[in-house]
Structures are given as C-alpha cells and as structure tokens.
Amino acid sequence: MNPTPHIKTEGTSKFQIGEIRNNTIHYDFEKIKTYLNIKGHMLFGKNFRIHKEDEKLIFKLCSYFIQDHHSCAQMGIDTSKGLLLTGPVGCGKTSLMKLLLHLAPHKTNYSLVPTRNIIFNFNTSGFEVLEKYNQTKNYCFDDLGVEPTGSHYAKECNVMGEILLSRYDLFTQTSQSHSLSFSQSQSHSKTHITTNLNVDEIEKKYGNRVRSRLKQMMNVIAYDSNSIDKRQ
C-alpha cells in the first residue's frame, strides 16, 4: 500500500493534495483542483480544465472519492452507495469518472465500461455476458441509456436493466453480510452510472423496479441542466 497517498507523483513532479495529522489524511480541495487540472491535461489534452460552475459538483464527487464520511453526510451522500452522475450531453461526466479514479484509488476504484460495449458483447456471446457483472467487483456503467436493446439469436433482452437488477441483489447481499468486516463491505459491489437521462427517463426505459433499486443503491448527483457542452 502507498504510504503517502496524499502525495501524487506524475513523472518527475509531485503534488501534495493534503497532509497527515494524527494518522489521518486531511485533504485540501484547492490543492486537489490543481492536481486534477494537471492530471486532466495529461489524460484528455491541453484543453481540459475544471470549470468554475462545476466546482460545487466536483467538491461533492471528491468528498465521495476520498471517502470523507463527515462532509458527505452533511451533503446527503451515503459513502456506502454508488454514484449516479447525470447531466446533459458533453458536460464532462465520463471524463470526471475517469479522472477521479486517480484521486484516491486506495479508497475508491472500479472498472469503467461503456454500456454500448456490453450490448455488443451480449449480441455476440449471449446471456453469459450478464454473469460477468454479477460479481463482487465495482463497475461504472458509462452512458446508460444510449445503448440499443440486446439481441442474441433473435432473443431480445433489456441487458442493462437485467444487469442493474442483478447488481442491486449483489449490493444488498454484500451490504448485509455479517461475514465481511465493515471496511470490506464498503468496498464491494458498488455500481456507478453516468447518463444523460433523468430519473423519470430511466424509469421509462428500464422500468419502475430498476428506478426504485437505483435509488436504494446510488447517490444521485446531477449537473445543472444548462451545463455547457465542453466538447464544442
């Protein structure tokens, strides 16, 4: 385990995003923003930047990613649940979920998978694809809602709807398991989502059962509906 997770190393440069006091890391959001801007340039190019109007939302996400339980509780965020990040096309959801993985990987990690890729795999390989996501592993399903209906040998399936229902069952099992320690139960079977859909549109596409379960297993964090398209 990295003994100095509050110091980020990029090439020959080091970025201190907090300090250790009484064996606890106290993070500094201004220093985190500086690091995220630098890391964003490395990942996405020189045009990347954190926009002022997004800072409140990014503070919420950073608090979650570093698992600042106190700050999250004050903002109504449950650190034991996943994230449902919703907002207009191009507002930066996917980039943030890729970028923030580098903030505190010892506390928050997952595999980011575009939902369209899952459907393409289902169309080729069939229902065994569903089993892949029925595991105690953390996933972020990117761009939920843009994927087509799955079809394997003329059998149609709302693939993402089925996967999300399975992920809910997995989430409740690991959350309630008495065989896991508290720290383990916090790190298993979290599901994150990025989507252009609002909760009503999610219900229309995937049904009331999925909407209800997402509410129980995820924190909804939303960009402003007027957020600009940063890809333009």
Side-chain angles (χ1 to χ4, degrees), residues 132-158:
K132 176 180 179 179
Y133 301 101
N134 190 21
Q135 304 173 21
T136 53
K137 180 178 178 180
N138 301 334
Y139 285 100
C140 176
F141 299 123
D142 187 38
D143 251 355
L144 183 77
V146 302
E147 78 282 353
T149 299
S151 179
H152 183 68
Y153 287 108
K155 290 185 178 180
E156 290 196 347
C157 177
N158 189 332

Side-chain angles (χ1 to χ4, degrees), residues 12-25:
T12 58
S13 300
K14 292 184 182 295
F15 302 88
Q16 185 169 333
I17 59 176
E19 59 181 36
I20 296 179
R21 299 196 300 270
N22 299 322
N23 295 319
T24 301
I25 299 176

Side-chain angles (χ1 to χ4, degrees), residues 177-228:
S177 173
H178 296 291
S179 64
L180 294 175
S181 71
F182 176 81
S183 61
Q184 286 176 316
S185 66
Q186 296 297 298
S187 62
H188 279 251
S189 304
K190 286 183 181 176
T191 305
H192 310 291
I193 286 172
T194 72
T195 182
N196 303 329
L197 305 180
N198 60 39
V199 290
D200 291 330
E201 292 168 330
I202 288 174
E203 179 175 352
K204 184 176 180 180
K205 186 172 179 68
Y206 300 101
N208 182 60
R209 288 179 65 213
V210 169
R211 174 180 175 167
S212 174
R213 283 155 177 76
L214 292 187
K215 183 177 181 180
Q216 295 179 61
M217 64 192 281
M218 294 180 188
N219 302 282
V220 178
I221 297 182
Y223 276 86
D224 188 282
S225 59
N226 296 318
S227 182
I228 63 171

Side-chain angles (χ1 to χ4, degrees), residues 96 169 212 222 230:
L96 270 185
D169 291 340
S212 174
K230 300 174 179 68

Side-chain angles (χ1 to χ4, degrees), residues 5-120:
H6 62 301
I7 299 176
K8 315 300 290 184
T9 301
E10 300 295 343
T12 58
S13 300
K14 292 184 182 295
F15 302 88
Q16 185 169 333
I17 59 176
E19 59 181 36
I20 296 179
R21 299 196 300 270
N22 299 322
N23 295 319
T24 301
I25 299 176
H26 295 263
Y27 289 92
D28 184 318
F29 184 57
E30 292 301 317
K31 292 179 179 179
I32 284 176
K33 284 193 299 181
T34 298
Y35 169 70
L36 292 178
N37 268 312
I38 296 295
K39 188 65 177 180
H41 291 158
M42 297 173 66
L43 293 174
F44 310 118
K46 62 181 181 180
N47 292 329
F48 175 88
R49 67 183 176 91
I50 291 176
H51 293 253
K52 185 72 175 178
E53 61 268 25
D54 294 336
E55 287 188 7
K56 184 177 180 180
L57 178 142
I58 291 173
F59 178 76
K60 289 182 179 181
L61 291 175
C62 287
S63 297
Y64 176 88
F65 273 77
I66 64 175
Q67 292 287 281
D68 182 342
H69 305 296
H70 177 71
S71 294
C72 283
Q74 289 184 319
M75 295 182 288
I77 297 171
D78 187 337
T79 54
S80 70
K81 295 182 179 182
L83 299 172
L84 195 163
L85 184 58
T86 179
V89 173
C91 65
K93 301 179 296 294
T94 301
S95 295
L96 270 185
M97 293 302 282
K98 289 180 178 178
L99 176 61
L100 289 171
L101 272 172
H102 299 274
L103 182 58
H106 62 296
K107 291 194 173 187
T108 308
N109 63 81
Y110 48 80
S111 295
L112 189 144
V113 188
T115 57
R116 280 185 288 196
N117 290 5
I118 296 174
I119 305 306
F120 295 152

